[in-house]
Amino acid sequence: VRRSLTAPPPDSALSTEPSDLDITVYYRGRPVLQCTVTNPGGCRLYSQQEEPALSHLQPVRLPPTDGLPDIKQRHFTEKLLASVEGGLLLHHWAGGVLAERLGRCQVFWARSESGPELGPGAGQVGGAIKLNRNERTRIFCLRDFVSELRAFMEQRGGAPNCAAYLCFGQQFLRSNQNKKLILVKVVPRAWVALTEWAQQSGASSLDSENVSLHISSTASIDNLLALLREVQDMDLDL
């Protein structure tokens, strides 16, 4: 079964806004914070240092280590949190997301929790993609997502990957997959919603374990489909 992106939305619609981001913070695999960023401009991940100049971004504070049972883990996590300083910014841009590191703490990113599955490019360190300080790096590309979603809807590929992972102070070495002191998972809610809608519309997801259904019937996805149609017609390097 195939379904065009220009087809009318189904009766059961998706309750989300195009810019919403789900954020989950893990300390050594343990979730310590879950929140949704609703600010259309993006958010700022930080630990202690307030930045009035960045008040236009939604603040997301990395939790203190009080609840961590292991003394060594608490000590090293606190050292990382202290070096976060100005924080990490997530900006919305052209339907995607850019990450910008302001603090001394090095941050590596990948689209898989176990490590990068990305092609060669600048900034790779030991197999990880490093965010350079005071530079914006694209971690979500809307055009790539649209291409993957179309392939999924036409049964030419699996469900799009709708998550990115940010590892603070450590590289994505597969040997320490479950030992990352600070790991942040970022998920654009609209991308998940559209992938779920594609599945409901007939796209096969039997070979994908990454799609979970959380469909609501409270709002329309007209704006999301309009965004996809707009991207299809754009001649930009997104």
Side-chain angles (χ1 to χ4, degrees), residues 139-209:
I139 63 173
F140 288 108
C141 175
L142 180 59
R143 173 155 290 174
D144 289 349
F145 170 73
V146 171
S147 177
E148 294 172 5
L149 183 64
R150 288 180 61 90
F152 178 54
M153 296 177 75
E154 296 170 1
Q155 299 184 0
R156 293 184 289 106
N161 182 357
C162 298
Y165 295 85
L166 302 161
C167 190
F168 286 68
Q170 295 172 284
Q171 298 181 21
F172 275 94
L173 300 177
R174 296 187 185 278
S175 60
N176 75 342
Q177 179 176 349
N178 298 318
K179 299 180 181 179
K180 301 178 181 68
L181 289 171
I182 303 176
L183 183 70
V184 177
K185 180 181 180 181
V186 183
V187 179
R189 298 189 74 182
W191 292 22
V192 175
L194 284 168
T195 301
E196 292 173 349
W197 170 74
Q199 183 188 29
Q200 291 287 300
S201 301
S204 174
S205 63
L206 295 179
D207 56 352
S208 173
E209 299 178 354

